[in-house]
mmCIF file of all heavy atoms in Angstrom:
data_model
loop_
_atom_site.group_PDB
_atom_site.id
_atom_site.type_symbol
_atom_site.label_atom_id
_atom_site.label_comp_id
_atom_site.label_asym_id
_atom_site.label_seq_id
_atom_site.Cartn_x
_atom_site.Cartn_y
_atom_site.Cartn_z
ATOM 1 N N GLU U 705 8.512 33.848 -42.086
ATOM 2 C CA GLU U 705 7.868 34.499 -40.952
ATOM 3 C C GLU U 705 6.436 33.833 -40.777
ATOM 4 O O GLU U 705 5.977 33.602 -39.645
ATOM 5 C CB GLU U 705 7.651 35.904 -41.230
ATOM 6 C CG GLU U 705 6.733 36.647 -40.241
ATOM 7 C CD GLU U 705 6.809 38.090 -40.400
ATOM 8 O OE1 GLU U 705 7.547 38.701 -41.082
ATOM 9 O OE2 GLU U 705 5.655 38.855 -39.976
ATOM 10 N N THR U 706 5.645 33.608 -41.850
ATOM 11 C CA THR U 706 4.394 32.933 -41.735
ATOM 12 C C THR U 706 4.538 31.469 -41.185
ATOM 13 O O THR U 706 3.765 31.117 -40.389
ATOM 14 C CB THR U 706 3.838 32.791 -43.234
ATOM 15 O OG1 THR U 706 3.656 34.079 -43.750
ATOM 16 C CG2 THR U 706 2.439 32.039 -43.198
ATOM 17 N N VAL U 707 5.556 30.750 -41.455
ATOM 18 C CA VAL U 707 5.822 29.483 -41.046
ATOM 19 C C VAL U 707 5.998 29.485 -39.458
ATOM 20 O O VAL U 707 5.398 28.738 -38.731
ATOM 21 C CB VAL U 707 7.009 28.769 -41.696
ATOM 22 C CG1 VAL U 707 7.474 27.471 -40.901
ATOM 23 C CG2 VAL U 707 6.691 28.372 -43.175
ATOM 24 N N GLN U 708 6.837 30.378 -39.103
ATOM 25 C CA GLN U 708 7.065 30.520 -37.635
ATOM 26 C C GLN U 708 5.963 31.079 -36.870
ATOM 27 O O GLN U 708 5.644 30.654 -35.784
ATOM 28 C CB GLN U 708 8.326 31.547 -37.359
ATOM 29 C CG GLN U 708 9.659 30.875 -37.963
ATOM 30 C CD GLN U 708 10.846 31.805 -37.872
ATOM 31 O OE1 GLN U 708 10.729 33.053 -37.931
ATOM 32 N NE2 GLN U 708 11.921 31.200 -37.584
ATOM 33 N N ARG U 709 5.125 31.970 -37.399
ATOM 34 C CA ARG U 709 3.919 32.338 -36.813
ATOM 35 C C ARG U 709 2.894 31.250 -36.635
ATOM 36 O O ARG U 709 2.257 31.097 -35.608
ATOM 37 C CB ARG U 709 3.138 33.596 -37.583
ATOM 38 C CG ARG U 709 3.891 34.859 -37.436
ATOM 39 C CD ARG U 709 3.187 35.918 -38.322
ATOM 40 N NE ARG U 709 3.720 37.280 -38.152
ATOM 41 C CZ ARG U 709 3.455 38.215 -37.195
ATOM 42 N NH1 ARG U 709 2.551 37.845 -36.314
ATOM 43 N NH2 ARG U 709 4.025 39.379 -37.177
ATOM 44 N N ILE U 710 2.815 30.427 -37.576
ATOM 45 C CA ILE U 710 1.934 29.309 -37.496
ATOM 46 C C ILE U 710 2.233 28.285 -36.436
ATOM 47 O O ILE U 710 1.434 27.883 -35.640
ATOM 48 C CB ILE U 710 1.926 28.517 -38.976
ATOM 49 C CG1 ILE U 710 1.121 29.296 -39.975
ATOM 50 C CG2 ILE U 710 1.198 27.204 -38.816
ATOM 51 C CD1 ILE U 710 1.191 28.734 -41.374
ATOM 52 N N ILE U 711 3.652 27.981 -36.358
ATOM 53 C CA ILE U 711 4.113 27.088 -35.302
ATOM 54 C C ILE U 711 3.835 27.772 -33.903
ATOM 55 O O ILE U 711 3.440 27.088 -32.966
ATOM 56 C CB ILE U 711 5.449 26.659 -35.532
ATOM 57 C CG1 ILE U 711 5.613 25.872 -36.842
ATOM 58 C CG2 ILE U 711 6.158 26.079 -34.267
ATOM 59 C CD1 ILE U 711 7.039 25.528 -37.153
ATOM 60 N N TYR U 712 4.069 29.057 -33.701
ATOM 61 C CA TYR U 712 3.824 29.656 -32.450
ATOM 62 C C TYR U 712 2.376 29.644 -32.104
ATOM 63 O O TYR U 712 2.076 29.281 -30.897
ATOM 64 C CB TYR U 712 4.311 31.097 -32.435
ATOM 65 C CG TYR U 712 3.994 31.848 -31.108
ATOM 66 C CD1 TYR U 712 4.926 31.680 -30.079
ATOM 67 C CD2 TYR U 712 2.984 32.754 -31.153
ATOM 68 C CE1 TYR U 712 4.706 32.344 -28.877
ATOM 69 C CE2 TYR U 712 2.757 33.422 -29.991
ATOM 70 C CZ TYR U 712 3.570 33.173 -28.908
ATOM 71 O OH TYR U 712 3.256 33.837 -27.636
ATOM 72 N N ILE U 713 1.535 29.928 -33.060
ATOM 73 C CA ILE U 713 0.143 29.929 -32.835
ATOM 74 C C ILE U 713 -0.438 28.429 -32.506
ATOM 75 O O ILE U 713 -1.197 28.293 -31.587
ATOM 76 C CB ILE U 713 -0.732 30.428 -34.031
ATOM 77 C CG1 ILE U 713 -0.558 31.965 -34.119
ATOM 78 C CG2 ILE U 713 -2.278 30.160 -33.855
ATOM 79 C CD1 ILE U 713 -0.891 32.652 -35.482
ATOM 80 N N ALA U 714 0.214 27.514 -33.015
ATOM 81 C CA ALA U 714 -0.149 26.068 -32.755
ATOM 82 C C ALA U 714 0.213 25.717 -31.334
ATOM 83 O O ALA U 714 -0.476 25.056 -30.668
ATOM 84 C CB ALA U 714 0.635 25.132 -33.791
ATOM 85 N N ALA U 715 1.421 26.369 -30.845
ATOM 86 C CA ALA U 715 1.729 26.012 -29.502
ATOM 87 C C ALA U 715 0.866 26.691 -28.483
ATOM 88 O O ALA U 715 0.446 25.994 -27.641
ATOM 89 C CB ALA U 715 3.244 26.523 -29.283
ATOM 90 N N VAL U 716 0.441 28.037 -28.785
ATOM 91 C CA VAL U 716 -0.446 28.660 -27.789
ATOM 92 C C VAL U 716 -1.801 27.946 -27.793
ATOM 93 O O VAL U 716 -2.407 27.714 -26.690
ATOM 94 C CB VAL U 716 -0.516 30.103 -28.348
ATOM 95 C CG1 VAL U 716 -1.612 30.797 -27.535
ATOM 96 C CG2 VAL U 716 0.759 30.871 -28.192
ATOM 97 N N GLU U 717 -2.365 27.555 -28.986
ATOM 98 C CA GLU U 717 -3.609 26.997 -29.027
ATOM 99 C C GLU U 717 -3.595 25.569 -28.470
ATOM 100 O O GLU U 717 -4.625 25.098 -27.963
ATOM 101 C CB GLU U 717 -4.144 27.017 -30.544
ATOM 102 C CG GLU U 717 -4.559 28.277 -31.138
ATOM 103 C CD GLU U 717 -5.584 28.906 -30.314
ATOM 104 O OE1 GLU U 717 -6.465 28.315 -29.855
ATOM 105 O OE2 GLU U 717 -5.691 30.237 -30.245
ATOM 106 N N SER U 718 -2.612 24.859 -28.470
ATOM 107 C CA SER U 718 -2.413 23.471 -27.910
ATOM 108 C C SER U 718 -2.533 23.639 -26.430
ATOM 109 O O SER U 718 -3.123 22.737 -25.798
ATOM 110 C CB SER U 718 -1.004 22.938 -28.418
ATOM 111 O OG SER U 718 -1.017 22.557 -29.850
ATOM 112 N N PHE U 719 -1.828 24.569 -25.874
ATOM 113 C CA PHE U 719 -1.762 24.715 -24.347
ATOM 114 C C PHE U 719 -3.246 25.192 -23.938
ATOM 115 O O PHE U 719 -3.791 24.627 -22.986
ATOM 116 C CB PHE U 719 -0.794 25.822 -23.897
ATOM 117 C CG PHE U 719 0.494 25.173 -23.515
ATOM 118 C CD1 PHE U 719 1.464 24.744 -24.525
ATOM 119 C CD2 PHE U 719 0.860 24.991 -22.177
ATOM 120 C CE1 PHE U 719 2.631 24.107 -24.129
ATOM 121 C CE2 PHE U 719 2.110 24.424 -21.873
ATOM 122 C CZ PHE U 719 2.965 23.938 -22.751
ATOM 123 N N ARG U 720 -3.891 26.140 -24.754
ATOM 124 C CA ARG U 720 -5.251 26.460 -24.406
ATOM 125 C C ARG U 720 -6.244 25.315 -24.398
ATOM 126 O O ARG U 720 -6.922 25.158 -23.458
ATOM 127 C CB ARG U 720 -5.592 27.525 -25.318
ATOM 128 C CG ARG U 720 -6.979 28.206 -25.041
ATOM 129 C CD ARG U 720 -7.587 28.768 -26.259
ATOM 130 N NE ARG U 720 -7.725 28.045 -27.343
ATOM 131 C CZ ARG U 720 -8.696 26.960 -27.451
ATOM 132 N NH1 ARG U 720 -9.595 26.816 -26.554
ATOM 133 N NH2 ARG U 720 -8.701 26.245 -28.640
ATOM 134 N N ALA U 721 -6.025 24.443 -25.377
ATOM 135 C CA ALA U 721 -7.144 23.327 -25.540
ATOM 136 C C ALA U 721 -6.896 22.349 -24.561
ATOM 137 O O ALA U 721 -7.797 21.794 -24.013
ATOM 138 C CB ALA U 721 -6.996 22.724 -27.029
ATOM 139 N N ALA U 722 -5.525 22.020 -24.246
ATOM 140 C CA ALA U 722 -5.150 20.971 -23.245
ATOM 141 C C ALA U 722 -5.589 21.470 -21.802
ATOM 142 O O ALA U 722 -6.049 20.694 -20.991
ATOM 143 C CB ALA U 722 -3.765 20.723 -23.313
ATOM 144 N N LYS U 723 -5.442 22.727 -21.534
ATOM 145 C CA LYS U 723 -5.766 23.285 -20.171
ATOM 146 C C LYS U 723 -7.377 23.173 -19.994
ATOM 147 O O LYS U 723 -7.812 22.863 -18.796
ATOM 148 C CB LYS U 723 -5.289 24.747 -19.999
ATOM 149 C CG LYS U 723 -3.851 24.902 -19.826
ATOM 150 C CD LYS U 723 -3.316 26.129 -19.822
ATOM 151 C CE LYS U 723 -4.011 26.996 -18.766
ATOM 152 N NZ LYS U 723 -3.548 28.355 -18.680
ATOM 153 N N MET U 724 -8.182 23.457 -21.059
ATOM 154 C CA MET U 724 -9.570 23.409 -20.942
ATOM 155 C C MET U 724 -10.024 22.012 -20.753
ATOM 156 O O MET U 724 -10.886 21.792 -19.968
ATOM 157 C CB MET U 724 -10.128 24.101 -22.192
ATOM 158 C CG MET U 724 -11.629 24.037 -22.065
ATOM 159 S SD MET U 724 -12.470 24.860 -20.785
ATOM 160 C CE MET U 724 -11.997 26.612 -21.299
ATOM 161 N N ALA U 725 -9.386 21.150 -21.504
ATOM 162 C CA ALA U 725 -9.745 19.724 -21.366
ATOM 163 C C ALA U 725 -9.298 19.167 -19.945
ATOM 164 O O ALA U 725 -10.102 18.499 -19.343
ATOM 165 C CB ALA U 725 -8.908 18.868 -22.376
#
Side-chain angles (χ1 to χ4, degrees):
E705 178 178 334
T706 300
V707 168
Q708 291 179 327
R709 282 183 179 273
I710 288 172
I711 291 175
Y712 177 78
I713 291 169
V716 171
E717 291 298 331
S718 294
F719 267 77
R720 181 199 58 76
K723 285 174 61 182
M724 180 59 68

